[in-house]
Amino acid sequence: MSLENLGWDNYFQDKFKSYLEKGFEAGRVVNQHKGNYIVYSEKGNFSGKLSGKFMHNADVKKDYPTVGDWVVIKNINDKEVVIHDILPRKSYFSRKLSISGGRKVKNGVLVGGYIEEQIIGSNIDIAFIVIGADDNFNVQRIERYITLVRSSKILPVILLNKCDLCNDISEYIENIKAASHDIDIHAISILDKINLNVFNEYLCLGKTLVFLGSSGVGKSSIINYLFGDDMQRTNSVSDSNKKGKHTTTSPRLFLHQSGCMLIDTPGIRELQLWADEDILKESFKDVYSLTEKCKYRDCTHKKEPGCAIKMAIDSGELPIKRFESYISQLKELKSLKESKNAYYSNRKNNKKI
Ligand SMILES: Nc1nc2c(ncn2[C@@H]2O[C@H](COP(=O)(O)OP(=O)(O)O)[C@@H](O)[C@H]2O)c(=O)[nH]1
Ligand SMILES: [Mg+2]
Ligand SMILES: [Zn+2]
């Protein structure tokens, strides 16, 4: 297995230079569970543990290796490696993890308590936001995933799965389009094998793709389909049920025969955003550009004269639900900013993140 097949490129080569001189090797984390890592390198698959120095310096969750990370390793034997460092992440996405301690829901936003940034995956090129064309369909959730992916500088692509369940998908597509604008949308059905050749254009050598979405939308079914009978051979550490199919308990990276890597994630029950509010200029470009047309710079879009938002809602140009999503995410991200300040200042050694 060459490093290029695992997604290695000039960026990582450059970051790795000083380690190479010291005799270290590079590997990619494909799975982790309670301090045990599975690492792929040119020499094969290894079980990895963190070095003592690494653990001493690590402070918050974000400092620890995550699925997709390139790590600096040394072999101890033909099965085990020690992980000494993480190469800087090219991209990663995280969610806010609320750790108990006085947290409560205020105006629909979780506030208070101790928070942490939890990285779900790193060094990713494309994120598939998977949605089911069924009762679980929820535009607000799609809007949250879009903000999350956009703020990670990863290319979002929307997959509307389970199209076999409805006769007319145009309404679904329209609702998604109003929330996603220029993002590519593909309607598919894994069950009835509809439109599954869309994957061909995304499965490219060295690229890392992640599947996101609520539990039950079909992420693992898509991965099972893409691997066909190769699943067992391709990833011997995969969780499997009795039928030999893979199920998901934690994010996990799989090597696909096309030379790309796929990360399956378990459904995120509580998708709390971790992003800067500026990202809404991208994920809510339509709403944001309207706010710039309001007569007053500090318009609250409630009853000011010359409010472009109000006019757009009245004329039907801007769905009120879309505006409400924008306001709710803005509120959430502003409140996150305050908690983040406390989070950063509490860090051991005041390390820079
Ligand atoms: N009707 C229909 N059901 C599907 C389709 N794809 C997946 N499912 C079903 O949806 C359920 C959840 O699928 P799974 O892949 O485990 O979802 P995940 O939680 O997102 O990984 C399973 O019972 C699948 O058989 C589809 O295209 N159409
Ligand atoms: Mg799954
Ligand atoms: Zn206004």
Side-chain angles (χ1 to χ4, degrees):
M1 172 72 51
S2 81
L3 290 184
E4 282 73 24
N5 278 347
L6 290 167
W8 186 257
D9 62 13
N10 288 338
Y11 172 89
F12 296 112
Q13 185 70 39
D14 185 52
K15 307 287 180 206
F16 187 64
K17 239 181 231 154
S18 60
Y19 296 105
L20 184 69
E21 286 157 11
K22 292 179 200 141
F24 288 104
E25 290 177 49
R28 196 159 189 205
V29 175
V30 302
N31 191 213
Q32 62 107 357
H33 183 70
K34 292 187 176 152
N36 290 307
Y37 298 85
I38 308 267
V39 180
Y40 283 8
S41 80
E42 278 174 320
K43 293 182 179 160
N45 311 350
F46 298 91
S47 148
K49 283 242 179 334
L50 300 172
S51 75
K53 188 171 166 213
F54 187 103
M55 283 197 280
H56 179 77
N57 288 331
D59 176 7
V60 290
K61 277 204 160 47
K62 188 181 175 166
D63 301 339
Y64 289 86
T66 192
V67 170
D69 273 342
W70 279 100
V71 286
V72 174
I73 53 175
K74 229 173 214 166
N75 276 79
I76 357 182
N77 54 45
D78 60 359
K79 288 199 182 70
E80 294 167 289
V81 293
V82 171
I83 298 174
H84 292 267
D85 214 342
I86 305 174
L87 294 183
R89 295 166 177 139
K90 216 197 249 185
S91 69
Y92 62 89
F93 63 91
S94 16
R95 63 162 174 161
K96 183 176 103 184
L97 189 69
S98 298
I99 302 166
S100 58
R103 62 178 189 155
K104 55 179 183 289
V105 176
K106 201 169 127 191
N107 299 328
V109 177
L110 201 55
V111 293
Y114 181 61
I115 61 153
E116 271 217 64
E117 176 177 14
Q118 184 188 40
I119 300 189
I120 302 166
S122 74
N123 302 320
I124 292 162
D125 301 289
I126 297 172
F128 289 110
I129 301 171
V130 188
I131 310 156
D134 56 16
D135 300 346
N136 206 0
F137 185 86
N138 178 319
V139 174
Q140 281 70 38
R141 200 182 302 125
I142 302 171
E143 289 170 325
R144 297 175 74 78
Y145 274 111
I146 291 174
T147 296
L148 195 82
V149 172
R150 287 261 193 231
S151 79
S152 325
K153 311 272 172 264
I154 296 168
L155 181 75
V157 173
I158 294 175
L159 294 178
L160 177 65
N161 187 30
K162 307 200 184 183
C163 287
D164 54 281
L165 293 179
C166 63
N167 295 324
D168 181 14
I169 55 162
S170 59
E171 201 179 319
Y172 283 107
I173 298 280
E174 256 172 39
N175 283 326
I176 299 172
K177 275 215 174 111
S180 64
H181 299 269
D182 47 359
I183 300 175
D184 282 345
I185 307 171
H186 303 288
I188 61 166
S189 162
I190 289 293
L191 190 75
D192 284 358
K193 306 231 179 321
I194 301 169
N195 204 18
L196 298 184
N197 55 1
V198 295
F199 290 104
N200 298 344
E201 72 173 283
Y202 298 106
L203 303 178
C204 310
L205 181 78
K207 295 275 182 227
T208 304
L209 285 46
V210 68
F211 290 85
L212 300 173
S214 310
S215 182
V217 292
K219 299 179 295 298
S220 297
S221 304
I222 296 172
I223 295 209
N224 280 328
Y225 161 77
L226 291 174
F227 278 90
D229 296 333
D230 255 9
M231 195 57 141
Q232 299 303 307
R233 262 191 297 138
T234 319
N235 197 325
S236 52
V237 294
S238 150
D239 303 323
S240 312
N241 61 22
K242 286 197 194 81
K243 290 180 208 145
K245 290 285 182 188
H246 135 82
T247 55
T248 331
T249 48
S250 61
R252 169 162 288 175
L253 186 145
F254 299 95
L255 302 177
H256 189 256
Q257 54 269 30
S258 63
C260 74
M261 285 134 286
L262 307 176
I263 300 180
D264 192 8
T265 58
I268 303 170
R269 226 174 307 140
E270 218 187 333
L271 183 66
Q272 299 285 331
L273 298 175
W274 185 282
D276 290 325
E277 61 188 75
D278 267 0
I279 197 60
L280 300 185
K281 290 180 192 170
E282 281 181 46
S283 52
F284 285 87
K285 205 156 85 187
D286 50 330
V287 184
Y288 185 77
S289 62
L290 282 170
T291 64
E292 291 203 302
K293 291 187 191 139
C294 292
K295 187 170 166 196
Y296 299 108
R297 277 208 70 151
D298 58 351
C299 184
T300 60
H301 323 299
K302 283 181 182 141
K303 42 187 175 229
E304 289 92 336
C307 173
I309 291 284
K310 188 173 181 312
M311 283 187 275
I313 290 173
D314 288 347
S315 75
E317 180 197 339
L318 175 67
I320 186 142
K321 276 237 158 19
R322 174 88 177 142
F323 178 61
E324 285 168 358
S325 295
Y326 169 79
I327 291 297
S328 127
Q329 288 197 17
L330 186 64
K331 220 189 272 174
E332 179 172 343
L333 294 177
K334 275 186 196 299
S335 131
L336 173 68
K337 190 153 87 187
E338 288 164 25
S339 326
K340 264 185 186 174
N341 290 340
Y343 165 76
Y344 290 139
S345 61
N346 275 340
R347 292 199 58 176
K348 167 163 103 181
N349 320 325
N350 262 338
K351 262 183 307 191
K352 215 168 167 277
I353 306 195

